[in-house]
Amino acid sequence: MIIKLHKGDITKMSVDTIVNAANSSLLGGGGVDGAIHRAAGPELLVECRKLNGCPTGKAKITNAYNLACKHVIHTVGPIWKGGNSNEANLLKSCYKNSLKLAEAYKLESIVFPNISTGVYGYPKEEAAKIAIETVMTKSLKLKHLKEITFCVFDDTNYEIYQKLLKDII
Ligand code: AR6
């Protein structure tokens, strides 16, 4: 299993699947969700309309249309409400359910954005710890996935991930 850290735009990544930090309507939005829908083209929204949304912590998969990857896994992160509203478990579930779905589709590579750390306001360091811990724990049991990448977009997340991953290694 290879775990990578990449700084840049997730929509440019040619892997089996990228993960979208969506909202429960799955009908697009701002941030990484908006960027993914813009780059994929309008057919992505047409497919998403048929999915009837997605609860927080769960994940659904679609085609990737004009993107360089093959699939998009849409997951819905929790909105940060101070930490006592099951946010940590829900965020953990986003990573777990996305990996489970990728495995079910026999995918070999997946890229995660920093789910919930933008508009949804999850504290970045806490979110990074959950992301890394969940992926590391789950990765021991995966059959098909060979490469998991954390795609960071802002400098703060880049520094946090660099430090946490270095500490683990
Ligand atoms: N590539 C990689 N990461 C990105 C990109 C990109 N092109 N653009 C932003 N990020 P956010 P959330 C990072 O707000 O907090 C949407 O409107 C960004 O720096 O996109 O889960 C949805 O529809 C941040 O670290 O997602 C929902 O309504 C991370 O992606 C809501 O936002 C997540 O920021 C979801 O909020």
Side-chain angles (χ1 to χ4, degrees):
M1 173 62 68
I2 300 168
I3 309 258
K4 286 185 178 174
L5 176 61
H6 173 87
K7 186 169 188 285
D9 184 353
I10 201 167
T11 67
K12 303 279 189 281
M13 300 193 73
S14 49
V15 286
D16 283 351
T17 189
I18 61 170
V19 176
N20 182 16
N23 59 63
S24 55
S25 76
L26 294 187
L27 301 179
V32 72
D33 193 10
I36 288 172
H37 274 271
R38 269 193 304 280
E43 284 169 296
L44 179 59
L45 185 58
V46 172
E47 188 177 351
C48 282
R49 283 191 198 285
K50 296 176 189 155
L51 299 177
N52 293 317
C54 179
T56 305
K58 302 281 193 253
K60 292 193 176 178
I61 192 165
T62 63
N63 292 314
Y65 304 98
N66 298 334
L67 287 161
C69 54
K70 296 177 192 158
H71 295 276
V72 179
I73 291 177
H74 307 262
T75 189
V76 183
I79 299 172
W80 180 256
K81 292 175 185 158
N84 294 320
S85 302
N86 204 28
E87 293 97 327
N89 277 328
L90 289 168
L91 187 60
K92 203 172 175 181
S93 292
C94 289
Y95 287 92
K96 274 207 233 174
N97 286 322
S98 299
L99 291 172
K100 212 166 154 186
L101 202 47
E103 276 287 295
Y105 277 73
K106 300 184 167 59
L107 306 181
E108 294 189 356
S109 50
I110 186 168
V111 183
F112 284 102
N114 306 136
I115 302 164
S116 284
T117 68
V119 179
Y120 280 1
Y122 208 108
K124 290 179 179 176
E125 179 137 9
E126 293 313 308
K129 281 181 187 159
I130 290 171
I132 293 170
E133 262 173 43
T134 309
V135 163
M136 293 285 187
T137 310
K138 273 266 154 195
S139 68
L140 304 171
K141 294 169 202 149
L142 302 171
K143 276 195 206 146
H144 303 285
L145 277 169
K146 294 183 170 55
E147 194 182 284
I148 303 175
T149 305
F150 294 109
C151 175
V152 298
F153 200 58
D154 55 89
D155 292 336
T156 313
N157 267 322
Y158 183 60
E159 279 158 26
I160 292 170
Y161 272 80
Q162 240 191 349
K163 188 182 174 301
L164 289 175
L165 289 169
K166 216 180 259 172
D167 286 352
I168 287 167
I169 294 157

